[in-house]
Amino acid sequence: MKTMAAGKFKAQCLAVMDEVQLKREPVLVTKNGKPVAKLVPLDLPDEDPLDAFRFPGKIEIVGDIMAPIYTDEELDEFFERSADQLK
């Protein structure tokens, strides 16, 4: 565990907090050489990896998102036209 004097902690507080969060290692803060506080990372519940892709109130799903975009007939027409263009 890292130990830091209170004066140094005061001067670098935000950077120390970022480091504790990133490295998940506590920091012991001392005053006159005696421990007075310990900064520890907060235990948060595991985040859902899909949270980054969620936009509450920004997106509205309309219709069946699993249904095919094109009908079988539309796909047949597309492939026929594509084959004709290659000739």
Side-chain angles (χ1 to χ4, degrees), residues 43-59:
D43 289 330
L44 297 174
D46 292 336
E47 294 182 13
D48 186 345
L50 295 178
D51 282 347
F53 300 102
R54 294 199 174 103
F55 302 95
K58 305 282 183 185
I59 297 174

Side-chain angles (χ1 to χ4, degrees), residues 15-28:
V16 173
M17 288 174 28
D18 288 341
E19 184 178 335
V20 167
Q21 181 184 23
L22 180 67
K23 293 183 178 180
R24 313 282 309 152
E25 295 176 5
V27 171
L28 183 65

Side-chain angles (χ1 to χ4, degrees), residues 2-45:
K2 185 175 181 179
T3 302
M4 178 177 285
K8 185 175 180 183
F9 175 76
K10 181 179 176 183
Q12 300 176 354
C13 179
L14 296 177
V16 173
M17 288 174 28
D18 288 341
E19 184 178 335
V20 167
Q21 181 184 23
L22 180 67
K23 293 183 178 180
R24 313 282 309 152
E25 295 176 5
V27 171
L28 183 65
V29 181
T30 62
K31 189 173 181 181
N32 297 323
K34 297 178 183 175
V36 293
K38 181 165 65 169
L39 183 63
V40 297
L42 185 61
D43 289 330
L44 297 174

